[in-house]
Amino acid sequence: MSGPSIWPGVTWLPLGEWGALTSGIRSDALSCIVLLLVAFIGWIIVGYSQTYLAGEPRQAGYIRALLLTLAAVSVVIITNNLLMLALAWLATSLALHQLLMFYSDRRPAQIAAHKKFLASRLADICIFSAIALIGVSLGTLEISEVLTRVTALSTSTLPAALQIAAALIALTALLKCAQLPLHGWLIQVMEAPTPVSALLHAGVVNLGGFVLIRLAVLISEAPLAQTLLVVVGSITAVVAALVMMTRISIKVMLAWSTCAQMGFMLMQCGLGAYEMALLHLVAHSLYKAHAFLGAGGAVEQARLRQMTSTTPASSLGVSLLSAIAGLGMVAAAAYVWNIQPFVVPTSPTLLVLAAIVSLALTMLIAPLLTVRNSTSSLFNWGALVLLASTFSVALAYFGLHYVFSMLVDLPLHAGATPVAYGLIIFTLVCFALLFLVQSLIRTNPAGKVARLLYPWFYNGLYLDPLFTRITFQVWPIKAPNADKNKTGNIKNNPPSGVTQ
């Protein structure tokens, strides 16, 4: 039944017809996979925290905030109600804020948490607005019913309200996943305890990708949402990857890596490769939890690498030859799984991902060709192991793609809006440029290109300082132990070293 009319042509729903907030739980494969992931990582982080904060007088408050964050994340994953999802996502952000401010007397912690707070509140405005538009347009907030009704509209273009709602959800994911230009807070949260960094990078920041996968049917029908995800995600992935090349600090490199990986995951969602985005989410979460909790070991490994002999510098020709070899390995691995990514009419999205994986494999193949040029000993056991390992990476990538596509039911019906070829070309150009720039810098680190680009990428294209100044002009914060101006607020210009 419809509720009373508010104004001509618009009908609102009585509260009871929106569905009780706790009325539904989704227990599909997507929920089970991600909930198991959260439970596993949460169990490890809680155990690690007990040792890490042993003797800390505020440990009890920390544990409460940590458990509240994990509980809120779990609700986001299992709920079947959009409003409950948004409220749980909001609770996740607020609980995480308490963890980020654990050392509240540290000025960098205050600045980073404040910037994240403002970016998250902007994201909350977007998602609550999207939910309102969905409720008015479809008459329900139950996720399963929303997806069913969107599917029923597949014979025609989605109404403008739903198109805007999808774009707002995509914008929410971009904000929550720390995409450019509002990414700086993710790089600067290192003042929090190490388990908090692991929780943020391995779990909380991935929720944007999960929500997009959950609402894949709606997102795939909205070209504007797809464009936002592909353009912003691709640019963020490329810029963050180049910034990583200028960093020495292990934790800062890991933070920029998270920024890049989130961009790649959101780009996959924009291209409609939701099963690959889910694979990316799971793999990234496990890797980042291990990387942050074992950051001390990573530092020791870096020191050992510095003391060992280095591989001779490769040339641009070697990089191109490695890319061709990688392309061949990817094609062979795809055909093993009966996948034909290089047949463009069949799957242009898989073509893009296969090309990107081919470029990524050059990092494994190039040292082999460089050693061949310098020692003429290509065919030895070490080389064969490296070749087998490289092929195994490509084989596992497409194998897991096959497994996840079978496990996760993503009802992308035949009427879904196809990805525009302009977005396909844009993505290929972005990652081709990344490959070219990285190859030029690695082959000639003291060359003109490297000297020209280094200051720009070391400073993150100067995007975050601008956002920081705007942040403190819009909403200054009081900090009793920080430098203050006459009004008692943190100065608008942060100290040098805050923007990393």
Side-chain angles (χ1 to χ4, degrees):
M1 291 179 58
S2 297
S5 178
I6 299 178
W7 60 80
V10 177
T11 301
W12 197 259
L13 296 173
L15 182 60
E17 294 190 22
W18 289 70
L21 295 183
T22 58
S23 63
I25 293 178
R26 289 186 68 89
S27 57
D28 56 3
L30 175 62
S31 296
C32 293
I33 291 172
V34 181
L35 187 61
L36 181 62
L37 176 69
V38 170
F40 176 68
I41 292 178
W43 171 59
I44 293 176
I45 290 177
V46 170
Y48 187 96
S49 298
Q50 290 179 331
T51 303
Y52 186 89
L53 294 175
E56 169 64 52
R58 292 170 294 172
Q59 185 178 22
Y62 166 88
I63 293 296
R64 284 194 296 269
L66 177 60
L67 294 179
L68 178 58
T69 303
L70 291 172
V73 169
S74 300
V75 173
V76 172
I77 294 167
I78 65 175
T79 184
N80 191 41
N81 186 282
L82 281 175
L83 185 55
M84 175 58 78
L85 183 150
L87 291 173
W89 209 353
L90 172 62
T92 300
S93 176
L94 296 178
L96 182 65
H97 184 79
Q98 300 304 312
L99 294 173
L100 296 179
M101 289 291 290
F102 185 76
Y103 298 117
S104 58
D105 56 334
R106 297 182 180 180
R107 186 177 181 186
Q110 298 161 358
I111 294 175
H114 185 62
K115 288 160 59 176
K116 180 196 176 299
F117 186 86
L118 291 182
S120 295
R121 299 297 72 78
L122 180 59
D124 292 333
I125 292 173
C126 291
I127 193 167
F128 280 109
S129 300
I131 289 172
L133 290 172
I134 291 172
V136 172
S137 301
L138 298 178
T140 181
L141 291 183
E142 297 300 308
I143 294 176
S144 56
E145 189 63 24
V146 167
L147 300 182
T148 299
R149 297 186 185 187
V150 170
T151 302
L153 296 173
S154 63
T155 56
S156 60
T157 304
L158 285 183
L162 291 179
Q163 296 273 359
I164 296 173
L168 288 172
I169 292 172
L171 186 58
T172 302
L174 293 171
L175 290 168
K176 293 276 191 176
C177 292
Q179 299 296 279
L180 268 62
L182 310 185
H183 62 290
W185 62 266
L186 183 66
I187 315 301
Q188 299 157 10
V189 293
M190 300 307 166
E191 293 295 328
T194 295
V196 176
S197 297
L199 175 66
L200 172 61
H201 289 263
V204 175
V205 77
N206 292 286
L207 283 178
F210 169 80
V211 172
L212 292 175
I213 298 169
R214 172 68 80 205
L215 302 175
V217 173
L218 176 62
I219 301 300
S220 64
E221 292 280 4
L224 178 58
Q226 293 175 322
T227 301
L228 281 172
L229 293 171
V230 171
V231 172
V232 179
S234 298
I235 293 175
T236 299
V238 170
V239 171
L242 291 173
V243 171
M244 282 179 59
M245 298 182 68
T246 68
R247 297 301 177 175
I248 298 176
S249 168
I250 298 297
K251 283 191 173 183
V252 173
M253 287 180 64
L254 289 174
W256 277 106
S257 170
T258 297
C259 188
Q261 296 296 333
M262 290 301 98
F264 192 78
M265 180 182 66
L266 297 181
M267 178 211 74
Q268 288 175 312
C269 291
L271 292 176
Y274 294 100
E275 71 285 351
M276 299 309 298
L278 178 59
L279 169 61
H280 201 95
L281 187 156
V282 172
H284 176 263
S285 296
L286 293 173
Y287 165 69
K288 277 300 162 61
H290 174 269
F292 271 96
L293 297 181
V299 172
E300 184 63 25
Q301 291 175 8
R303 293 178 58 188
L304 290 174
R305 284 195 298 269
Q306 290 176 352
M307 292 186 291
T308 58
S309 59
T310 58
T311 302
S314 62
S315 64
L316 184 59
V318 169
S319 296
L320 294 176
L321 186 59
S322 301
I324 295 173
L327 193 65
M329 287 189 176
V330 167
Y335 281 109
V336 168
W337 292 100
N338 197 27
I339 299 172
Q340 300 182 8
F342 299 107
V343 180
V344 177
T346 301
S347 179
T349 296
L350 269 182
L351 170 64
V352 174
L353 297 179
I356 293 174
V357 172
S358 302
L359 296 179
L361 291 180
T362 60
M363 296 294 296
L364 298 175
I365 300 173
L368 186 63
L369 298 179
T370 303
V371 170
R372 166 61 178 165
N373 291 335
S374 60
T375 65
S376 300
S377 58
L378 176 61
F379 295 102
N380 53 53
W381 284 110
L384 291 176
V385 169
L386 183 56
L387 281 173
S389 300
T390 304
F391 181 71
S392 298
V393 171
L395 194 65
Y397 183 83
F398 287 103
L400 290 171
H401 162 266
Y402 179 80
V403 171
F404 273 71
S405 63
M406 296 293 292
L407 285 176
V408 182
D409 181 22
L410 296 173
L412 299 184
H413 45 276
T417 303
V419 178
Y421 276 99
L423 295 180
I424 299 289
I425 295 172
F426 177 84
T427 305
L428 287 173
V429 169
C430 283
F431 283 90
L433 287 175
L434 172 62
F435 169 75
L436 179 61
V437 173
Q438 286 183 328
S439 298
L440 289 174
I441 292 175
R442 288 195 177 98
T443 56
N444 191 7
K448 184 177 180 180
V449 173
R451 293 198 308 268
L452 176 65
L453 296 180
Y454 182 87
W456 287 92
F457 287 111
Y458 181 82
N459 291 282
L461 301 184
Y462 301 95
L463 294 174
D464 185 62
L466 176 61
F467 174 59
T468 303
R469 287 194 295 270
I470 295 174
T471 297
F472 286 97
Q473 288 172 356
V474 172
W475 190 357
I477 58 174
K478 294 183 179 180
N481 295 325
D483 292 338
K484 300 179 181 180
N485 56 19
K486 295 181 180 179
T487 63
N489 296 326
I490 290 181
K491 295 179 180 179
N492 292 337
N493 294 324
S496 60
V498 169
T499 300
Q500 301 184 52

